[in-house]
Structures are given as structure tokens and as C-alpha cells.
Amino acid sequence: SEAEGFEAKSSESAWEACTHICNYGLLVDPRYARALVSLIRHVRASTVLEFGSGLGLYSSFIAREIPDAEDIVGIEPNESPFWKEFIMPENSSFPRQANVDILQATREQLWQAGLYKQFDFVHSNEVLEHIPLHLHDRVFDFLTT
């Protein structure tokens, strides 16, 4: 099947932004983005973590809509080549991109990436299906501590 062919191709080489765009498109839902901003404002969150930020489009939207946020971070194991050129709003230090595989990271690596802390708001969209089921407990432990 086409899905099996895709899995074989993606496991042979590093996952890249272009691979993502070619296979999935940009996958941005404006209604979801606006709902995130509304929720973040409702709970008065000043720190936001996006687990599995992909190209960083939702983190970028949040940073543009909530410019007075204290910290906005997108986690992705591989660096997005588009982050600095297209994702970060002009004259802003947010959103930050943290290239960390949280399933393998030590406390020191999390600390260095600015992730060894609590965030007011954590969100993730279409990520868990990319992580083997036997590792889901680790993901939940990371996201809830």
C-alpha cells in the first residue's frame, strides 16, 4: 500500500521538513490555531509548550497572537530549517525551537534546552501516532511533570 511505502522510505533517511510537506502538506487548521489562542488566553498562560511542533506553524501563530508571552517552545527531535527564516515573528525571541528527543534525553539535556520546568499550557496535535505505543507512558510522564 501507499502507506507502507511511505513508512519504508521515511525510516531509511532522516525526516526533513520537505518530506513532511510533500507527504502531509502544511496541515494547519486556522480554527484549531484560533482555539488554541483562545484557550491560552482563557487560562492566562504565559508559558506554552507544543509537543511535536513539526514546522512550528502553530507555535508561530501563538507567538504572533500573544506577543507578551513569557516563553513559547516547540519541541521536535529534528531541527526545522525554516524556523528562523519563516516561523519566528520579526523582533521576537519566541517561539523557541527545542530539538530534543524527550524519549532519550537526560535531565541535563532537558535543562539545557529550557524544558526542565513546568509550562502553563501544553498542547500536541497529531503526534502520538508517530511514537511507538510502548513509549507512550514516557511521553505522558514528560508532559505531566
Side-chain angles (χ1 to χ4, degrees), residues 50-70:
E50 179 179 8
F51 178 70
S53 58
L55 302 177
L57 300 173
Y58 287 116
S59 291
S60 178
F61 183 80
I62 292 166
R64 290 173 201 277
E65 294 296 310
I66 306 176
D68 58 339
E70 213 175 286

Side-chain angles (χ1 to χ4, degrees), residues 16-49:
E16 296 178 356
C18 291
T19 308
H20 185 89
I21 292 170
C22 289
N23 286 291
Y24 297 111
L26 291 177
L27 281 182
V28 175
D29 182 342
R31 295 167 299 172
Y32 179 76
R34 287 190 298 272
L36 281 174
V37 168
S38 180
L39 283 168
I40 292 165
R41 286 183 174 144
H42 179 75
V43 298
R44 294 184 172 94
S46 62
T47 58
V48 178
L49 175 69

